[in-house]
Amino acid sequence: MEEDYIKLIFGLKLKQIRTDRNLSLFGLSKLSGLSKSYLNEIEKGKKYPKPDKISILSEKLDIPYDDMVSLKLDKNLAPIGEILQSKILKEIPLELFGIKESNLIDIIANAPAKVNAFISTVIEIAEHYSFSKESFYLASVRTFQQANNNYFENLEQEVVIFAKAYQIDLTKPIQSNELEEILVEEFGYTINNKDLEKHKELDALRSIFISKSKTLLLANHIDEAQRTFIYAKELAYNHLKFKERLYTFSWIKFENFDQVLNNFFASYFAGALIIPKTTLTEQLTNLFNKNRFDESLFVKMIKSFNASPESFYQRLTNILPKEFNIQNLFFLRFTHRSGSERFYLNKELHLSHQHSPHANETNEHYCRRWVSLKVLNEISKTKKDHVVDIQISHYPNDDMQYLVLSSATKDPFKESHYRSISVGLLINKQLKNKLSFLEDKKIVAQKVGVTCERCTISDCEVRQVPPTILDRSRKNKKIENVVNELMQKFS
């Protein structure tokens, strides 16, 4: 264990023993002959006493010496001990979130009982929802994105430096063979398009990188856009000189937080290389200046880059906050199997935490009025390659409206499966000033809920189940009101 954590654990134990005996720091100082300030520093985890001092405390507090120095904590402090011994505080670079580890340790030392209660609650929730360490890391990266409005100027500049160094014209669509040549000639890669296909268990994987031989195994069935993105990520790992990296997709396996964070940085670099900021900003400005939403122009924009619709929408979440100061937005990715009644929200980003909807972990039914689900239903029935739609979604419960752009495409890795990608922009005075087509009467406005179980819309023609959770909440509120009336009447 880290020396600081050993100090902290000893301090937590000493403080617990002292308070169990109803001793103040002043009282323990008189009892042991050790100064109050010295004992305070021990309890805060800033100092670890020498053996002779531990012997004095052991004798005066009637606690065996071995129990005093043991790293084992009782049940009241065990969750804190688990966090400290797991080294998770070391693995996550807290400075990314503006948190000093020393400050965090001080918080734990100053209020161990309250921190313990909080940590125990988080652990219980995590276990209830099967929230793994991996899920925690991925959630941490999303929080990091949100804290920075999902825009990273240093990565944008690195793309420009890279393009200049390798004479890549960012004003033209980038092709995979252009990036493959750099990987092979400059970084000594071997591209293998055969061996991944020999293993049926790996059907869902697009690539695996074998670092020892610098071999990149690629799935044969990936399209040009996917191949280009994979190559761009590999170039990012090399150009940015990341030592900690993933060798396949993050949902398979990773060992530490740096691997997950660097995977995000490499993906950001790849998106910025394939969809350059300057070009996309010009195209969006042209689209926003039109009095009517031009769907054909929007589709043309997506197709003008050698990228998937998902990469394009992801890139919107980088550019809109920075270049247009549109920071109140969300990104959603749904998946759906043709013929099924279930829709799965498996990727999301909210640059402002107030936004609906969020992923639901209790198997409730997402609102069928969302344009995200509408395009999925349409593509699964029509078998089109790409379905695009736009909607003004009004959430009565939040009294907020969003302009939502959504695209649906086939899932390239699963037969009869489809995915939709959506970006929602909060409609406010600022957005109205930036988007001329926002007053376009052809854009459908729709009242929407989050899930059927919580929805207040009484006349919904596509409701899947009754609003059971909402009804329960209303019933409890009525009971609360009657109780309050009785309290006032008889008080």
Side-chain angles (χ1 to χ4, degrees):
M1 288 184 66
E2 295 287 337
E3 183 181 346
D4 289 344
Y5 294 167
I6 294 174
K7 291 179 184 178
L8 181 56
I9 286 178
F10 186 91
L12 290 173
K13 292 181 73 170
L14 179 61
K15 185 172 185 177
Q16 185 181 39
I17 294 167
R18 175 177 64 79
T19 53
D20 284 348
R21 283 157 174 70
N22 295 318
L23 278 171
S24 66
L25 271 174
F26 179 85
L28 181 58
S29 175
K30 288 194 68 175
L31 180 66
S32 65
L34 304 176
S35 73
K36 179 182 173 183
S37 61
Y38 178 63
L39 291 170
N40 187 44
E41 288 190 308
I42 292 174
E43 289 191 356
K44 287 188 174 182
K46 294 180 178 179
K47 287 188 176 179
Y48 192 88
K50 293 181 178 179
D52 60 324
K53 302 295 191 295
I54 297 176
S55 293
I56 293 173
L57 291 169
S58 170
E59 178 185 347
K60 297 301 181 181
L61 292 170
D62 193 24
I63 298 291
Y65 183 97
D66 289 346
D67 288 354
M68 291 284 292
V69 299
S70 170
L71 296 178
K72 186 176 181 180
L73 296 168
D74 67 18
K75 66 178 182 179
N76 294 322
L77 294 176
I80 292 177
E82 289 174 13
I83 293 292
L84 297 177
Q85 294 186 56
S86 72
K87 296 186 179 181
I88 197 167
L89 298 181
K90 286 291 182 186
E91 290 184 15
I92 295 180
L94 296 171
E95 66 274 7
L96 290 176
F97 304 96
I99 300 171
K100 290 184 178 179
E101 186 184 346
S102 58
N103 292 345
L104 194 61
I105 288 176
D106 280 345
I107 292 171
I108 294 174
N110 288 329
K114 293 179 180 179
V115 174
N116 172 65
F118 173 74
I119 291 175
S120 298
T121 301
V122 171
I123 291 173
E124 186 174 339
I125 293 171
E127 290 174 345
H128 182 69
Y129 288 106
S130 300
F131 193 78
S132 63
K133 175 182 174 181
E134 289 77 13
S135 300
F136 177 72
Y137 283 164
L138 293 172
S140 297
V141 170
R142 284 197 300 273
T143 302
F144 176 57
Q145 291 175 256
Q146 292 162 3
N148 290 276
N149 285 323
N150 203 29
Y151 180 82
F152 299 88
E153 181 62 35
N154 61 318
L155 295 176
E156 301 284 346
Q157 292 301 320
E158 287 296 337
V159 165
V160 175
I161 293 169
F162 175 84
K164 183 177 180 181
Y166 293 98
Q167 290 297 288
I168 295 174
D169 188 351
L170 294 179
T171 65
K172 297 178 181 178
I174 295 174
Q175 302 301 317
S176 65
N177 58 357
E178 186 177 6
L179 301 185
E180 182 177 324
E181 184 180 11
I182 300 172
L183 281 173
V184 173
E185 296 296 329
E186 187 72 10
F187 298 106
Y189 272 51
T190 298
I191 309 299
N192 183 320
N193 295 293
K194 298 178 180 178
D195 285 285
L196 206 58
E197 303 293 329
K198 297 176 181 178
H199 305 276
K200 291 184 178 179
E201 299 86 351
L202 306 181
D203 284 349
L205 293 187
R206 302 177 194 178
S207 66
I208 300 176
F209 178 64
I210 314 298
S211 59
K212 191 172 183 180
S213 62
K214 286 194 171 183
T215 300
L216 183 62
L217 303 176
L218 287 176
N220 252 334
H221 55 277
I222 60 175
D223 60 25
E224 167 64 11
Q226 292 164 341
R227 182 180 292 268
T228 303
F229 186 82
I230 291 168
Y231 286 165
K233 273 187 70 174
E234 290 299 323
L235 288 169
Y237 279 126
N238 286 276
H239 176 73
L240 300 172
K241 295 181 172 58
F242 288 149
K243 293 181 179 179
E244 292 287 350
R245 60 156 295 169
L246 298 178
Y247 299 100
T248 186
F249 288 91
S250 58
W251 42 267
I252 298 296
K253 182 182 180 182
F254 47 77
E255 297 172 355
N256 55 58
F257 182 72
D258 281 345
Q259 289 181 343
V260 182
L261 185 62
N262 289 342
N263 176 68
F264 163 69
F265 286 147
S267 297
Y268 187 105
F269 181 99
L273 178 64
I274 297 167
I275 308 175
K277 177 174 70 173
T278 301
T279 305
L280 181 57
T281 300
E282 291 174 356
Q283 292 182 350
L284 287 171
T285 300
N286 184 28
L287 179 71
F288 292 168
N289 285 337
K290 292 187 175 295
N291 292 325
R292 297 284 183 268
F293 174 67
D294 192 334
E295 181 179 318
S296 61
L297 177 60
F298 183 65
V299 173
K300 185 179 178 181
M301 284 171 55
I302 298 175
K303 292 182 177 180
S304 68
F305 302 100
N306 187 15
S308 67
E310 180 168 353
S311 294
F312 178 83
Y313 278 74
Q314 285 273 19
R315 191 68 174 132
L316 290 181
T317 68
N318 307 141
I319 301 306
L320 291 175
K322 175 62 178 178
E323 299 301 318
F324 297 90
N325 198 31
I326 300 174
Q327 298 176 4
N328 292 296
L329 61 81
F330 62 77
F331 169 94
L332 305 174
R333 182 181 71 191
F334 279 92
T335 55
H336 172 64
R337 180 173 58 83
S338 180
S340 169
E341 292 299 322
R342 304 299 298 184
F343 296 85
Y344 300 93
L345 177 50
N346 48 28
K347 195 169 186 179
E348 60 181 325
L349 178 70
H350 301 261
L351 295 195
S352 175
H353 295 283
Q354 64 187 3
H355 295 141
S356 295
H358 284 273
N360 187 280
E361 299 292 341
T362 54
N363 292 320
E364 295 176 33
H365 296 74
Y366 291 112
C367 178
R368 266 43 178 185
R369 293 185 172 199
W370 291 346
V371 68
S372 305
L373 305 193
K374 179 184 173 185
V375 292
L376 278 174
N377 276 322
E378 183 177 345
I379 196 169
S380 64
K381 293 175 182 177
T382 62
K383 310 299 181 184
K384 294 179 181 177
D385 291 332
H386 188 186
V387 173
V388 176
D389 205 349
I390 187 170
Q391 174 180 295
I392 292 176
S393 295
H394 177 211
Y395 289 83
N397 286 6
D398 300 333
D399 195 26
M400 291 181 180
Q401 289 184 313
Y402 302 89
L403 179 73
V404 185
L405 292 158
S406 190
S407 283
T409 56
K410 295 179 181 178
D411 189 322
F413 298 100
K414 293 182 180 179
E415 186 68 28
S416 300
H417 281 71
Y418 302 88
R419 59 177 62 172
S420 72
I421 312 297
S422 304
V423 167
L425 314 176
L426 180 67
I427 298 177
N428 51 23
K429 185 177 180 180
Q430 179 192 28
L431 190 71
K432 291 177 181 178
N433 290 334
K434 293 182 183 298
L435 273 62
S436 299
F437 64 75
L438 201 54
E439 301 298 327
D440 186 352
K441 301 300 182 183
K442 292 184 178 180
I443 300 176
V444 175
Q446 183 79 276
K447 283 186 178 180
V448 298
V450 177
T451 66
C452 293
E453 287 81 350
R454 303 169 190 268
C455 184
T456 59
I457 302 172
S458 58
D459 59 345
C460 179
E461 69 284 355
V462 290
R463 178 181 288 281
Q464 301 295 298
V465 294
T468 52
I469 295 176
L470 181 65
D471 289 344
R472 189 186 313 135
S473 176
R474 286 171 171 168
K475 181 179 179 181
N476 290 340
K477 186 64 179 176
K478 287 180 180 179
I479 293 173
E480 180 185 346
N481 291 337
V482 173
V483 170
N484 286 337
E485 289 174 6
L486 289 173
M487 294 282 286
Q488 292 176 6
K489 181 178 180 180
F490 292 100
S491 61

